């Protein structure tokens, strides 16, 4: 067992937690270490009883429920109305232990479900009674009475003595305790993950669902690891492979696919708030942000150890031998929205950046909202304001930079000439004469701002990176109320003092010199001894596969976040991640080879499941999920054969709803050039992760399908069901274009209507249709083909110019002008209804129906 050094009170509770999970005496454990561990465990058990039981059984001498006084060992031995509460050495015969297990429906304590003891807490009581229910004394020999209201945790100290001396409920600060290394429970399960899961199921007498069928499992795994559905050939190959390791070899293939990095990067970019523009009213392009996005994709593809993944993003430029990768990675620190304008106070916008990056590091890597301590000591977690500004002092030496950074061999630069030509073409936009005269000051100023916008975009193809550099830092003070005009004590660079390295006697040392501050922070975060980091990323990986983490709030492992449903499993997985060189691919493979992951979404006893575990916290069945907006768009393009698999490089511009695309987008009092999609289908139809993301212009179809905004870290995607989603998928232009494209693919790949119907099902659902499905589909196609023979589509054309309007700043008058759309002259549209005959259009009507089916839109 690890030695834990720190404040005495904290040591007791840390040891207690480790003791619960560590089980029996480890081989070679010294007697004094064993005695210390047992002492801590017994102390924690008594403290637990004091906190959770004495409110009814001893605190109020005039109202002791059931005549049972639990304040002393003698009172427990004497017992109450039902006899003795404890039988030292025999937990199973002790009424107190039986009551907290809830095994006897007539004897359940605490009586309310919400107050019920956790599995670990029940184990504490069992061990204490099994060891003879000893009275506990501190090492100095003084009688142990325990803290009145909870656990003391040492920090750098709060702004008030009351905060500094406050105590915490053990379950509220669980994430600040060292990661335990629990033993895998004894079980018939062949997989360690299943052993942890099935122990909880057995306690609830709940049988797990059977295994999912092979097609469902393959589709689930392929979408989870690549964001794309399996092809018909991949399905046939898997169904024909009867070897016992067939699924494991599928996982190896998917993890080795370049599509894997794209899927994992989408998860990560949600958390770090990636976008290609700055946001707010100064939403100019960030011309080189795409290199950070591509770095993330590559990092997941090469299975960059997660500790290195952390180091490069926080301090890659401070490495002794910084290279292209490590400099590009620091773009993470600038991912948040930010603006500085002529009307801004530089000190204010600088402080906004520092606040943003401090909190971002907290939620991304540590699972804590640090900004809660910006104005005052954290109300719920042991994070004083002084800690907040100590971390901020680390970033006081970081300044924005766009250094020349040569393109690396792995970067996809083949499109750079096309990107340069696009910007040159946009720069030739003609702002036609409007009313009032073209020389009007407002119109002239707008032209200058548009030129600035395009000049900025014109650098997109240059070998620069969106990064930071180390410079001379300004002095950092605690800001009372978070305001620049109320500085208090100066602070030195530092880390969270409640997270004490168990192998050290003091928190990590951060240098006072400018260079090396961020590297010290990164090394502390990426340390195997940090209590938070491995838990946070392990929990995220679990969520990426099950839709909800072991902790349901992955950005918040603090007191206001959710409690872990399987804390021992979380720690076992986190410690294994560390032991396996922080390999995320190995962690994915471990989770996905479990029976828990491979279960069916249909449980044979749905009524019992609904009664015992309505939220599916115990994982008796696999929870279905809806495809994310990006998965749905990419899957449709994949099924129609239109998806371009070209990786990386500057973002492409897909076709989006034209009414949204052509709305004026204001940038610092001017209007940005109109959104114009890429001219070629192969550019427009790239994977969504490679689509240029504008903070102030969302793709309506993706937005209505719950794609999160890029301004706030998204810890978990929403899954709403609202009427506009129907409009987007049944009436939207994108869905109609994909239906036409799919119909054309079916016609070219299969002869006869029945064969085309079968191919449509295999492409979209991975299975053959039933006889009744074929019959219904045939009737629909024939009916719609007859309709289209009688109704020719009306051809529409795309605009070549758009009318703009603004309010003059000086006069307040509205004036108009026309803006040409030069890219539309070269635009190659997708296949349209007027490009095909009535038979194709009739078949497309069926494709549109299938595109809108639950079977396509959900993963089961």
């Amino acid at each position: 067992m690890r030695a834990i050094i720190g404040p005495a009170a904290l040591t007791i509770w840390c040891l207690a937690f480790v003791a619960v999970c560590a089980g029996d005496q480890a081989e070679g454990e010294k007697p004094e270490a064993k005695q210390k561990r047992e002492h801590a465990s017994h102390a924690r058990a008594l403290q637990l009883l004091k906190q959770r039981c004495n409110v009814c059984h001893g605190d109020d001498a005039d109202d002791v429920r059931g005549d049972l006084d639990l304040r002393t060992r003698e009172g427990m031995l004497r017992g109450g109305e039902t006899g003795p509460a404890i039988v030292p050495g025999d937990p199973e015969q002790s009424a107190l232990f039986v009551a907290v297990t809830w095994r006897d429906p007539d004897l359940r304590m605490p009586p309310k479900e919400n107050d019920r003891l956790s599995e670990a807490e029940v184990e504490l009581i069992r061990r204490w009674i099994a060891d003879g229910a000893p009275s506990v004394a501190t090492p100095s020999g003084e009688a142990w009475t325990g803290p009145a209201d909870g656990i003391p945790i040492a920090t750098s100290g709060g702004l008030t003595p009351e905060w500094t001396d406050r105590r915490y409920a053990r379950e509220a600060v669980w994430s600040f305790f060292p990661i335990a290394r629990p033993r895998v429970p004894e079980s018939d399960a062949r997989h360690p993950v299943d052993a942890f899961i099935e122990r909880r199921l057995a306690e609830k007498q709940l049988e797990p669902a059977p295994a999912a069928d092979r097609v469902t499992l393959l589709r689930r795994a392929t979408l989870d690891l690549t964001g794309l559905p399996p092809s018909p050939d991949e399905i046939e190959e898997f169904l024909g492979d009867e070897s016992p390791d067939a699924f494991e070899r599928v996982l190896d293939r998917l993890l080795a696919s370049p599509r894997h990095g794209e899927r994992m990067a989408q998860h990560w970019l949600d958390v770090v708030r990636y976008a290609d523009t700055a946001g707010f009213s100064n939403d100019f392009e960030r011309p080189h942000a795409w290199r950070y996005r591509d770095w993330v994709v590559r990092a997941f593809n090469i299975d960059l150890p997660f500790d290195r993944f952390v180091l490069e993003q926080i301090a890659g430029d401070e490495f002794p031998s910084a290279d292209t990768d490590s400099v590009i990675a620091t773009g993470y620190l600038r991912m948040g929205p930010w603006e500085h304008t002529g009307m801004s106070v530089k000190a204010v916008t600088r402080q906004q950046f520092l606040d943003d990056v401090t909190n971002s590091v907290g939620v991304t890597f540590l699972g804590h909202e640090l900004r809660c301590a910006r104005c005052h000591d954290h109300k719920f977690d042991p994070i004083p304001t002084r800690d907040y500004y100590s971390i901020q002092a680390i970033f006081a030496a970081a300044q924005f930079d766009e250094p020349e950074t040569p393109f690396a061999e792995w970067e996809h630069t083949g499109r750079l000439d096309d990107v340069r030509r696009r910007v040159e073409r946009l720069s030739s936009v003609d702002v036609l004469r409007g009313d009032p005269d073209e020389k009007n000051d407002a119109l002239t100023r707008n032209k200058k701002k548009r030129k600035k916008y395009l000049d900025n975009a014109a650098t997109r193809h240059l070998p620069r990176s969106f990064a930071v550099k180390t410079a001379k830092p300004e002095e950092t003070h605690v800001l009372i109320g978070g305001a620049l005009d109320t500085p208090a004590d100066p602070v030195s660079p530092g880390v969270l003092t409640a997270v004490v390295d168990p192998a050290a006697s003091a928190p990590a040392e951060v240098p006072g010199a400018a260079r090396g501050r961020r590297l010290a922070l990164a090394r502390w975060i990426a340390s195997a001894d940090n209590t938070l980091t491995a838990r946070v990323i392990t929990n995220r990986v679990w969520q990426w596969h099950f839709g909800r983490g072991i902790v349901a709030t992955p950005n918040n492992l603090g007191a206001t976040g959710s409690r872990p449903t399987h804390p021992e499993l979380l720690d076992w997985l986190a410690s294994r991640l560390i032991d396996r060189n922080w390999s995320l691919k190995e962690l994915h493979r471990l989770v996905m080879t479990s029976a828990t992951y491979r279960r069916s979404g249909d449980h044979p006893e749905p009524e019992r499941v609904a009664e015992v575990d309505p939220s599916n916290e115990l994982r008796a069945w696999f929870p279905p999920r809806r495809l994310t907006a990006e998965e749905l768009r990419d899957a449709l393009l994949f099924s129609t054969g239109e998806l371009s698999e070209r990786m990386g490089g500057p973002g492409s511009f897909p076709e989006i709803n034209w009414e949204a695309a052509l709305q004026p987008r204001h940038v610092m009092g001017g209007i940005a050039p109109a959104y114009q999609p890429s001219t070629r289908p192969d550019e427009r139809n790239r994977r969504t992760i490679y689509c240029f993301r504008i903070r102030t212009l969302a793709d309506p179809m993706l937005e209505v399908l719950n794609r999160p905004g890029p301004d706030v870290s998204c810890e978990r995607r929403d899954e709403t069901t609202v009427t506009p989603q129907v409009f987007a998928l049944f009436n939207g232009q994108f869905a109609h274009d994909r239906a036409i494209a799919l119909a054309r693919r079916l016609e070219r790949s299969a002869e006869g209507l029945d064969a085309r119907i079968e191919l449509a099902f295999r492409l979209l659902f991975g299975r053959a249709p039933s006889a009744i499905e074929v019959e219904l589909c045939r009737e629909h196609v024939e009916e719609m083909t007859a309709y289209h023979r009688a109704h020719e589509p009306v051809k529409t054309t795309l605009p070549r110019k758009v009318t703009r309007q603004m309010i003059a700043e000086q006069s307040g008058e509205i004036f108009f002008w026309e803006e040409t759309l030069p890219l539309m002259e070269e635009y190659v549209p997708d296949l349209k209804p007027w490009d095909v005959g009535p038979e194709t259009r009739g078949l497309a009507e069926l494709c549109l129906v299938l595109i809108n089916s639950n079977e396509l839109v959900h993963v089961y």
Side-chain angles (χ1 to χ4, degrees), residues 617-847:
E617 290 185 354
L618 302 181
R619 290 289 177 257
W621 51 283
F622 187 86
R625 67 173 177 88
R626 196 187 67 206
L627 295 180
T628 64
E630 295 91 338
E631 284 178 299
L632 183 56
R633 178 182 179 272
D634 294 349
L636 290 178
L637 290 169
F638 178 80
S639 298
T640 63
E642 300 172 283
L643 182 66
S644 170
E645 294 187 348
R646 183 183 300 166
M647 296 181 67
S652 58
F653 294 79
E655 184 175 314
I656 67 175
N657 177 277
W658 281 98
E659 289 187 6
L662 296 181
Q663 286 294 316
R665 189 165 64 88
H666 291 260
V667 177
M668 285 313 300
I671 292 181
Y675 180 93
Q676 297 177 65
S678 301
T679 57
R680 301 193 314 271
D682 66 315
E683 273 294 289
R684 295 194 298 273
N685 296 335
R686 300 178 74 208
R687 289 202 72 170
T688 311
I689 193 172
Y690 298 123
C691 294
F692 194 88
R693 190 154 194 205
I694 302 172
R695 276 194 156 94
T696 55
L697 179 61
D699 182 333
M701 187 193 79
L702 301 180
E703 187 176 36
V704 78
L705 291 168
N706 301 122
R707 187 190 199 188
D711 292 345
V712 179
S713 176
C714 175
E715 60 178 2
R716 180 184 177 192
R717 293 280 182 109
D718 291 331
E719 282 191 22
T720 61
T721 302
V722 294
T723 304
Q725 293 167 352
V726 178
F727 297 148
L729 292 181
F730 236 121
N731 300 339
Q733 190 62 54
F734 179 83
H736 279 253
D737 287 349
R738 303 293 75 76
I740 289 284
L742 181 56
R744 174 59 63 89
R745 179 180 185 181
L746 298 177
E747 290 178 332
R748 291 175 173 173
S749 304
E751 291 293 332
L753 181 54
D754 285 5
R756 290 168 181 168
I757 292 171
E758 179 172 343
L759 180 57
F761 272 72
R762 292 193 181 280
L763 288 172
L764 295 175
F765 309 141
R767 65 172 179 86
S770 65
I772 186 63
E773 286 173 327
V774 172
E775 181 181 349
L776 292 171
C777 291
R778 188 190 307 120
E779 290 177 359
H780 185 64
V781 172
E782 291 171 350
E783 180 182 348
M784 296 312 298
T785 301
Y787 170 85
H788 282 289
R789 287 194 180 109
H791 299 82
E792 286 295 321
V794 177
K795 184 175 182 178
T796 60
T797 58
L798 296 177
R800 294 292 189 269
K801 59 184 178 181
V802 61
T803 300
R804 297 297 199 201
Q805 74 175 50
M806 279 191 69
I807 298 176
E809 294 180 10
Q810 301 296 328
S811 66
E813 295 179 0
I814 297 177
F815 66 96
F816 300 85
W817 76 94
E818 289 184 336
E819 176 185 338
T820 60
L821 305 176
L823 296 183
M824 293 301 95
E825 298 173 4
E826 308 165 10
Y827 190 78
V828 179
D830 293 330
L831 199 65
K832 300 295 181 182
W834 49 85
D835 297 322
V836 299
E839 291 77 15
T840 306
R841 298 200 298 274
L843 184 56
E845 296 283 2
L846 171 63
C847 295

Side-chain angles (χ1 to χ4, degrees), residues 242-500:
E242 298 182 357
S243 57
D245 64 342
F247 184 61
E248 285 76 5
R249 286 187 287 108
V250 164
L251 295 182
D252 291 339
R253 171 176 61 81
L254 296 174
L255 289 167
S257 167
R259 310 282 81 81
H260 172 67
E262 294 168 339
R263 177 61 183 141
M264 294 303 110
Q266 191 65 71
H267 288 303
W268 189 253
L269 298 184
D270 275 3
V271 176
V272 304
R273 307 163 296 165
Y274 176 85
D276 292 286
T277 62
F280 298 127
S281 61
N282 205 17
D283 198 25
F284 282 100
E285 181 173 339
R286 292 173 166 173
H288 313 106
W290 62 269
R291 298 185 72 183
Y292 170 76
R293 176 205 63 203
D294 287 359
W295 177 87
V296 174
V297 172
R298 178 175 184 266
F300 282 111
N301 271 334
I302 67 173
D303 199 19
L304 187 69
F306 188 75
D307 57 346
R308 179 74 181 192
F309 188 68
V310 173
L311 287 169
E312 293 198 16
Q313 291 180 85
I314 295 176
D317 62 310
E318 290 194 340
F319 288 174
S321 57
D323 57 11
T324 294
D325 284 21
S326 56
V327 172
I328 291 173
T330 63
Y332 156 74
L333 298 174
R334 297 182 60 186
M335 279 298 111
W338 183 84
E339 70 175 358
H340 180 78
T341 71
M343 297 178 289
S344 302
V345 177
K346 184 177 179 180
V348 172
T349 54
R350 172 66 178 169
Q351 185 60 40
Q352 289 169 348
F353 162 72
L354 292 173
D355 287 330
D356 179 88
V357 73
T358 302
N359 189 66
S360 178
V361 167
V363 297
T364 302
F365 300 111
L366 303 175
H368 279 76
E369 289 272 2
L370 299 184
R371 64 184 170 192
C372 297
R374 179 173 70 93
C375 302
H376 48 71
D377 296 323
H378 202 293
K379 290 186 176 180
F380 305 102
D381 294 324
I383 304 175
T385 296
R386 185 173 286 104
D387 277 12
Y388 175 87
Y389 286 102
S390 292
I391 292 177
Q392 192 169 106
I394 292 173
F395 296 104
Q399 296 289 340
F400 295 172
D401 197 21
E402 283 81 35
E404 290 191 11
T405 313
F407 291 118
E409 291 183 2
W410 60 267
E411 292 190 270
H412 304 276
T413 58
R415 298 178 49 253
L416 294 185
D417 285 341
D418 288 344
V419 169
R420 178 177 50 79
R421 284 193 294 270
R422 173 188 170 89
V423 177
E424 289 175 353
R425 194 76 177 91
L426 288 173
S427 297
S428 68
V429 63
D430 185 16
V431 179
L432 302 178
R433 182 170 180 170
D435 178 26
D437 186 83
E438 184 180 17
K439 294 181 180 179
N440 177 272
D441 288 344
L443 186 57
T444 301
R445 284 196 300 272
N446 187 52
K447 285 184 179 180
K448 290 180 180 179
K449 289 172 180 175
R450 290 162 64 86
K451 183 178 185 303
K452 179 181 177 182
Y453 188 95
L454 291 168
D455 287 347
N456 187 50
T459 67
R460 199 186 309 160
H461 66 287
L462 298 177
R464 294 184 176 276
S465 56
F466 187 64
V468 297
K469 64 181 178 182
T470 298
K472 182 179 179 180
E474 60 267 30
E475 188 175 44
T476 302
H477 291 256
V478 170
L479 301 180
I480 303 302
L484 278 170
D485 58 358
T486 55
D489 297 339
V491 294
S492 301
V495 299
L496 293 183
T497 50
V499 183
V500 178

Side-chain angles (χ1 to χ4, degrees), residues 132-195:
S135 298
V136 180
T138 64
S140 64
E142 298 172 353
W144 182 88
T145 57
D149 298 312
I151 302 168
I153 294 185
T155 69
S156 61
L159 299 178
T160 65
E162 292 78 15
W163 190 95
T164 303
D165 297 335
R166 74 176 180 175
R167 298 167 183 263
Y168 302 83
R170 165 65 183 80
E171 58 272 18
V173 290
W174 66 273
S175 63
F176 288 94
F177 287 80
I179 296 173
R181 291 178 175 269
R183 293 182 177 181
V184 176
E186 294 184 4
S187 168
D188 293 335
R190 299 181 178 179
H191 195 286
V193 170
D194 299 326

Side-chain angles (χ1 to χ4, degrees), residues 549-561:
I550 295 175
V551 180
T553 52
N555 277 7
N556 185 1
L557 272 59
T560 59

